[in-house]
Amino acid sequence: MKSKLYTEDHEAFREMVREFIAREVTPHQERWEQERLMDRQLWTAAGKQGLLGIAVPAEFGGGGESDFRYRAVVMEELADVGAASVSLSLSLQDDIALPYLLDLATGEQKRRWLPGVCSGEIVTAIAMTEPGAGSDLQGIRATAVKDGDDYLVSGAKTFITNGIHSDLVIVLARTDPAAGAKGMSLFVIERGMPGFTRGRKLNKVGLHAQDTAELFFDEVRVPAANLLGTPGRGFVHLMERLPRERMAIAVVAQAAAEAALRWTLAYCAERTAFGKPIADLQSTRFTLAELATETEVTRAYLDRVIGDFNDGTLSAVDAAKAKWWATELQNRVVNRCVQLHGGYGYMLEYPIARAFVDARIQTIYGGTTEIMKEIIGRDLTSNG
């Protein structure tokens, strides 16, 4: 089912994105997967093509376009070629880190950082998760101690997307340990600051080409000019921006599910068993019917969610619904598509096999399925 979400302008943009992917992504995917790292040059190529900083005002070098549908187009086209690692890295920049800079940065900070983010000369990351604090961010232990006009940031972060390539890392740290969630602040730590080091490039089950790392901060002297947002409101700043992050993950999941179904339909039409295409087997047709129905119904909901986001009315609860449902759908669809591929579905030369291992993390990061259901359940049963 073709989505009614897009206009002619979006489809023209899609053609440009396809050309970029064919030129800058597809020829390198296998090597990136084997090397466990994408080329740094991909960022500057994406920036030159206008695929980074789409929502950044033109005065800072961006596209000046807040319509999320353009980002959704990029996600769909990357999913179509099985480039989940690239999609995650670009999404981290534009959908997760960038909103913090757009919403919270001062004029001086925007002039200092945004042009590089848009050109791809600056790769961003956001460091929340710690070895002992994942979904429960109130358990973080990283600290930022005031020292004159500066802060000394110490602690360890893990599972950090873009952790190896990142030039600018938004770090959540405790500025007042006695104040609980009200005692956290956000700091921008830049490559080369003394005391900021990177640990292992983590060896993940999937998303092999995407760099995920441990980060360490040993009394990193961070000037007050790198404090992001309001002191003591770091946790609130995070909560305010999670709906967009979760919506983005849901859109990636939907795009991946649709791509998996397209690949499988083509495979079932070509592959024969018992003297005829396996698409002619009733069990296959029933499975395909179920997957098509589930993906199309989910697409309708996500189209609405994207519209709500563009209108400024997307709620945290609706974003949570989209996130858990679409990511669980992605895993369910991909798993069943692997089954329809038979033994070939387990071979990495087929995109469905890579999609299988890449999909598993989707129900975990950005808030687990269980956390999403807790958000929704609390809303349903609250007395307010």
Side-chain angles (χ1 to χ4, degrees):
M1 181 183 72
K2 184 175 178 61
S3 172
K4 298 179 180 179
L5 186 67
Y6 302 111
T7 67
E8 291 183 4
D9 288 341
H10 298 109
E11 296 304 333
F13 178 72
R14 186 186 300 279
E15 289 303 314
M16 182 268 286
V17 174
R18 282 178 180 166
E19 292 174 4
F20 171 84
I21 292 172
R23 183 178 68 253
E24 302 289 350
V25 176
T26 305
H28 309 293
Q29 278 183 265
E30 286 300 324
R31 176 171 59 82
W32 292 343
E33 288 285 319
Q34 292 170 7
E35 295 177 355
R36 296 297 204 261
L37 190 68
M38 294 181 295
D39 293 341
R40 181 63 178 76
Q41 291 82 351
L42 175 67
W43 295 93
T44 50
K48 185 177 182 180
Q49 194 71 54
L51 300 185
L52 297 176
I54 293 174
V56 173
E59 65 180 296
F60 300 115
E65 182 54 76
S66 60
D67 182 353
F68 185 80
R69 288 177 292 182
Y70 288 98
R71 279 289 304 130
V73 166
V74 176
M75 294 171 179
E76 289 172 1
E77 293 306 311
L78 287 169
D80 197 54
V81 299
S85 292
V86 176
S87 187
L88 173 60
S89 293
L90 298 187
S91 187
L92 189 287
Q93 183 115 334
D94 261 42
D95 302 317
I96 301 176
L98 188 57
Y100 289 87
L101 301 179
L102 287 174
D103 299 344
L104 303 175
T106 65
E108 185 277 331
Q109 289 172 332
K110 289 178 180 179
R111 288 188 293 273
R112 184 154 44 115
W113 295 321
L114 289 180
V117 170
C118 296
S119 69
E121 295 172 47
I122 293 177
V123 174
T124 60
I126 185 161
M128 296 185 286
T129 303
E130 298 184 1
S135 295
D136 181 14
L137 291 176
Q138 296 189 53
I140 70 161
R141 295 183 178 181
T143 60
V145 179
K146 198 84 164 68
D147 185 54
D149 293 332
D150 303 332
Y151 290 85
L152 297 179
V153 177
S154 297
K157 301 289 183 176
T158 193
F159 306 145
I160 307 304
T161 303
N162 294 348
I164 298 297
H165 281 318
S166 57
D167 305 292
L168 181 156
V169 184
I170 300 170
V171 179
L172 179 67
R174 288 191 179 277
T175 42
D176 183 356
K182 296 181 180 179
M184 302 182 191
S185 303
L186 296 175
F187 298 89
V188 175
I189 295 182
E190 300 176 72
R191 179 185 291 274
M193 285 184 168
F196 170 30
T197 57
R198 301 165 207 268
R200 295 178 300 148
K201 180 176 65 176
L202 300 173
N203 191 18
K204 308 184 298 295
V205 169
L207 296 171
H208 292 152
Q210 191 282 315
D211 57 313
T212 303
E214 301 169 319
L215 303 181
F216 300 102
F217 310 97
D218 183 10
E219 293 193 339
V220 180
R221 185 169 291 277
V222 181
N226 281 35
L227 177 70
L228 188 63
T230 305
R233 288 184 61 82
F235 187 78
V236 174
H237 292 328
L238 291 176
M239 294 301 105
E240 290 170 344
R241 277 146 202 89
L242 281 173
R244 173 174 178 145
E245 176 180 347
R246 289 165 178 166
M247 175 191 68
I249 294 172
V251 173
V252 167
Q254 176 69 21
E258 291 175 346
L261 181 56
R262 282 194 297 273
W263 303 334
T264 305
L265 283 167
Y267 179 84
C268 291
E270 297 171 359
R271 183 70 174 172
T272 60
F274 308 108
K276 58 184 177 181
I278 61 173
D280 290 345
L281 300 173
Q282 186 183 63
S283 62
T284 301
R285 292 200 303 267
F286 278 16
T287 297
L288 293 172
E290 291 168 7
L291 299 183
T293 303
E294 291 181 17
T295 54
E296 289 184 19
V297 170
T298 305
R299 160 66 73 173
Y301 183 75
L302 288 182
D303 284 0
R304 198 199 84 187
V305 165
I306 292 172
D308 288 348
F309 175 80
N310 279 347
D311 294 340
T313 60
L314 177 63
S315 70
V317 172
D318 283 349
K321 291 175 181 176
K323 198 274 178 185
W324 89 258
W325 178 263
T327 57
E328 293 285 352
L329 170 76
Q330 176 189 1
N331 275 272
R332 191 164 61 248
V333 169
V334 170
N335 184 56
R336 298 182 77 182
C337 286
V338 167
Q339 189 73 17
L340 287 174
H341 277 74
Y344 291 103
Y346 205 62
M347 299 296 108
L348 286 172
E349 64 192 83
Y350 282 77
I352 194 64
R354 185 174 299 155
F356 178 73
V357 293
D358 288 344
R360 190 59 189 88
I361 188 61
Q362 288 275 86
T363 62
I364 298 173
Y365 59 20
T368 63
T369 292
E370 292 74 20
I371 294 294
M372 297 304 97
K373 291 179 180 180
E374 182 67 13
I375 291 170
I376 299 161
R378 286 182 180 178
D379 180 71
L380 291 172
T381 57
S382 66
N383 295 321

